[in-house]
């Protein structure tokens, strides 16, 4: 580091920001970005950091990838906007063709373009009600689906996200997720026989809501903001079978897990399930604002005017999206699997050495570690987690918290093994220091 953090220029920007920017943002440490390249970023004071956040799982191809920059520049020089709601343009059609070809399952699909994750979820919420003519939704405790009113009604990650905003959209029931490390039923996998899915049929549908009034189940293949929770192998197939039994749509929220992040194009492919709808955003265009709802074609039968937007499928974002998909398919998805395995293995070894790392889990480059008082009690220790995140920043490693007591590692999909090792070294030193109270 060239200076104590934050450096003088960073500190000045943070002070200016406080005067004019909404205090609702959740900045964890005062990193003020100047520029980035791949998995490396520099702050305005000239300090270099390793980025294991990807701007919250967004910069799939790293910062300023030349292919993505070129695609953006070329499209911007042709035209920047025309609105896909009222006009046609090739780049939007081409991206939709790629997405439906890549989506899991044989059923033909169609795409509705948005600008963000929450809008993709809103579109799914509305399409589910429209096509099903049913009103109820099922979502999960720990879920994060966004912050607009429909998606916020599905979100159950932290009370602060909902507090003061009610009444939310009625008709959403939350049930426990397949979170084996902290099972809501105090059962143990595999002897539990996936009781968390059975609960929906045996209790919820028996005592509370009719399954025939449920339009959709919204589920993250791996819970993201809720703490990087990977459910067991049987979980999604059992949930999908339950949904099919009652004609309920299975909506996979792949906003954080999708586009190669887990070593497959869509995380749900790890469970062999074909969702009825898939929500994507974040990594799809390497940082240009873009989202999409990919739905089975027969479901997307709403008429002109039923749903639309001004900016969704912006041509510059679509061009970035096509360049991103090319890179992810050709190279970076495989890199996510191999470097992800390297990081997971190293974290598991670290867990064996440190009492405060209670659990390590993930797929590809979507990896979380749960920080606890000690392994026996599993007592959550958010203060220790926050200290680790802060100390990593001071040593030149950017990571983010998730859930009540976890940290997440979501570097760009093209991070090199050497960069991953550098980040893990910093983390190992920080965990030792924090554990020893230094
Ligand atoms: N769904 C999931 C699974 C997410 O992780 C997020 C954001 O973190 C969203 C939806 C909302 O996306 P956005 O912040 O782009 O609205």
């Amino acid at each position: 580091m060239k200076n104590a953090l934050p450096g003088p220029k960073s500190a000045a920007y943070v002070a200016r920001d406080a005067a004019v920017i909404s205090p609702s943002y959740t900045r964890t440490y005062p990193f003020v970005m100047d520029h980035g390249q791949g998995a490396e970023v520099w702050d305005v004071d000239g300090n270099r950091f390793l980025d294991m956040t990807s701007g919250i799982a967004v910069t799939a191809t790293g910062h300023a990838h030349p292919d993505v920059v070129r695609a953006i520049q070329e499209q911007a020089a042709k035209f920047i906007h025309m609105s896909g709601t009222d006009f046609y343009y090739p780049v939007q059609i081409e991206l939709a063709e790629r997405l439906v070809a890549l989506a899991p399952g044989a059923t033909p699909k169609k795409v509705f373009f948005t600008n963000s994750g929450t809008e993709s979820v809103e579109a799914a919420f509305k399409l589910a009600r429209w096509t099903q003519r049913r009103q109820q939704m099922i979502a999960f405790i720990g879920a994060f689906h966004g912050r607009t009113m429909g998606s916020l009604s599905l979100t159950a990650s932290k009370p602060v996200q909902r507090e003061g905003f009610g009444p939310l959209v009625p008709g959403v029931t939350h049930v426990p997720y397949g979170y084996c490390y902290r099972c809501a039923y105090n059962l143990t996998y595999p002897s539990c026989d996936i009781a968390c899915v059975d609960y929906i049929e045996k209790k919820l549908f028996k005592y509370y809501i009719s399954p025939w009034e449920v339009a959709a189940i919204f589920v993250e293949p791996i819970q993201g903001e809720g703490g990087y929770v990977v459910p067991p192998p049987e979980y999604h197939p059992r949930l999908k079978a339950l949904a099919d039994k009652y004609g309920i749509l299975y909506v996979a929220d792949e906003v954080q897990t999708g586009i190669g992040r887990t070593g497959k194009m869509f995380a749900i492919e790890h469970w062999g399930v074909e969702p009825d709808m898939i929500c994507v955003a974040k990594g799809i265009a390497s940082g240009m604002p873009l989202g999409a709802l990919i739905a089975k074609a027969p479901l997307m039968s709403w008429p002109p005017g039923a749903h639309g937007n001004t900016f969704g499928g912006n041509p510059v974002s679509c061009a970035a999206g096509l360049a991103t998909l090319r890179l992810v398919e050709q190279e970076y998805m495989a890199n996510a699997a191999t470097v992800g395995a390297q990081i997971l293995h190293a974290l598991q070894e670290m867990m064996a050495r440190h009492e405060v790392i209670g659990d390590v889990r993930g797929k590809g480059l979507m990896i979380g570690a749960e920080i606890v008082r000690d392994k026996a009690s599993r007592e959550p220790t958010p203060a220790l987690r926050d200290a680790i995140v802060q100390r990593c920043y001071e040593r030149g490693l950017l990571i983010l918290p998730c859930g009540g007591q976890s940290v997440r590692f979501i570097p760009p999909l093209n991070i090199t093994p050497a960069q991953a090792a550098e980040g893990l070294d910093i983390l190992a030193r920080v965990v030792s220091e924090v554990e020893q109270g230094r």
Side-chain angles (χ1 to χ4, degrees):
M1 292 297 152
K2 294 179 188 258
N3 44 253
L5 294 177
K9 288 185 185 160
S10 297
Y13 275 114
V14 169
R16 284 169 61 185
D17 178 288
V20 292
I21 302 271
S22 165
S24 61
Y25 296 136
T26 50
R27 277 71 169 270
T28 321
Y29 38 76
F31 172 72
V32 182
M33 177 133 170
D34 181 73
H35 66 282
Q37 195 66 58
E40 295 171 307
V41 291
W42 284 262
D43 73 7
V44 288
D45 293 288
N47 298 304
R48 171 196 172 270
F49 298 80
L50 196 63
D51 179 16
M52 288 223 191
T53 75
S54 302
I56 332 184
V58 170
T59 54
T61 59
H63 294 280
H65 193 291
D67 290 12
V68 177
V69 172
R70 196 177 318 111
I72 291 170
Q73 286 172 336
E74 284 175 7
Q75 179 57 46
K78 284 164 82 181
F79 65 97
I80 294 174
H81 174 79
M82 197 54 195
S83 187
T85 287
D86 280 308
F87 302 97
Y88 302 89
Y89 40 86
V91 74
Q92 180 176 248
I93 299 162
E94 285 161 21
L95 181 59
E97 286 169 349
R98 287 306 307 135
L99 288 173
V100 300
L102 290 167
T107 320
K109 313 274 189 319
K110 285 191 173 178
V111 178
F112 178 88
F113 281 112
T114 72
N115 306 281
S116 64
T118 196
E119 286 173 82
S120 302
V121 173
E122 291 291 334
F125 196 115
K126 286 180 70 177
L127 182 60
R129 276 197 173 170
W130 189 89
T131 186
Q132 298 282 85
R133 302 292 152 147
R134 300 181 184 185
Q135 292 194 1
Q136 302 283 335
M137 304 288 175
I138 292 175
F140 294 88
I141 293 170
F144 189 89
H145 295 291
R147 297 173 182 274
T148 51
M149 288 311 245
S151 65
L152 181 61
S153 308
L154 298 165
T155 289
S157 174
K158 294 192 181 78
V160 68
Q161 294 157 352
R162 294 165 65 97
E163 189 182 351
F165 297 120
L168 301 179
V169 179
V172 179
T173 303
H174 289 94
V175 294
Y177 190 72
Y179 185 3
C180 299
Y181 186 66
R182 297 187 188 279
C183 176
Y185 306 103
N186 278 326
L187 297 171
T188 307
Y189 175 81
S191 58
C192 64
D193 196 24
I194 321 296
C196 47
V197 173
D198 277 356
Y199 170 91
I200 300 171
E201 185 169 35
K202 298 206 176 114
K203 297 282 191 267
L204 195 65
F205 291 167
K206 186 157 178 228
Y207 296 107
Y208 190 42
I209 48 174
S210 162
W212 305 107
E213 287 190 344
V214 178
I217 296 177
F218 280 78
V219 63
E220 293 162 89
I222 298 171
Q223 270 193 349
E225 306 299 304
Y228 278 39
V229 182
V230 185
E234 301 87 341
Y235 183 76
H236 287 293
R238 289 271 288 268
L239 197 58
K240 178 70 166 89
L242 179 70
D244 287 349
K245 185 170 169 187
Y246 296 103
I248 298 168
L249 300 179
Y250 179 99
V251 183
D253 182 343
E254 293 255 14
V255 167
Q256 190 154 168
T257 53
I259 317 297
R261 167 71 38 205
T262 66
K264 294 196 185 282
M265 189 53 75
F266 297 95
I268 201 64
E269 293 171 54
H270 290 285
W271 284 267
V273 164
E274 179 183 3
D276 299 300
M277 299 191 207
I278 303 175
C279 303
V280 287
K282 285 195 184 282
I284 188 175
S286 293
M288 291 298 290
L290 186 68
L293 167 64
I294 308 165
K296 286 183 175 169
L299 297 175
M300 211 177 261
S301 58
W302 44 13
H307 198 47
N309 54 30
T310 300
F311 289 118
N314 169 275
V316 182
S317 297
C318 285
L322 280 168
T324 300
L325 286 181
R326 263 194 300 275
L327 290 164
V328 170
E329 268 186 279
Q330 282 165 11
E331 212 179 327
Y332 297 161
M333 196 157 72
N335 191 61
T338 47
V339 182
Q342 172 196 345
I343 297 177
L344 190 71
H345 181 67
L347 287 174
Q348 280 164 344
E349 279 187 354
M350 234 182 266
M351 176 168 72
R353 291 196 304 273
H354 295 285
E355 268 299 297
V356 298
I357 303 181
D359 196 25
V360 167
R361 55 204 177 221
K363 288 194 184 289
L365 285 171
M366 181 170 185
I367 305 173
E370 200 156 323
I371 308 301
V372 293
R373 176 80 46 219
D374 54 65
K375 287 193 171 64
S377 73
R378 297 189 179 184
E379 188 188 320
T381 50
L384 210 58
R385 184 272 310 272
D386 293 349
I388 290 172
V389 172
Q390 174 69 28
R391 199 73 77 89
C392 281
Y393 157 69
E394 287 161 13
R395 300 286 157 80
L397 171 65
L398 304 185
I399 55 173
L400 282 172
C402 62
Q405 62 278 342
S406 297
V407 288
R408 52 178 144 172
F409 305 90
I410 33 170
L413 307 184
N414 56 350
I415 188 171
T416 64
Q419 288 170 328
E422 180 192 338
L424 287 161
D425 272 357
I426 297 173
L427 181 76
R429 269 183 285 130
V430 164
V431 171
S432 297
E433 287 169 14
V434 169
E435 192 171 52
Q436 288 159 25
R438 281 191 274 137

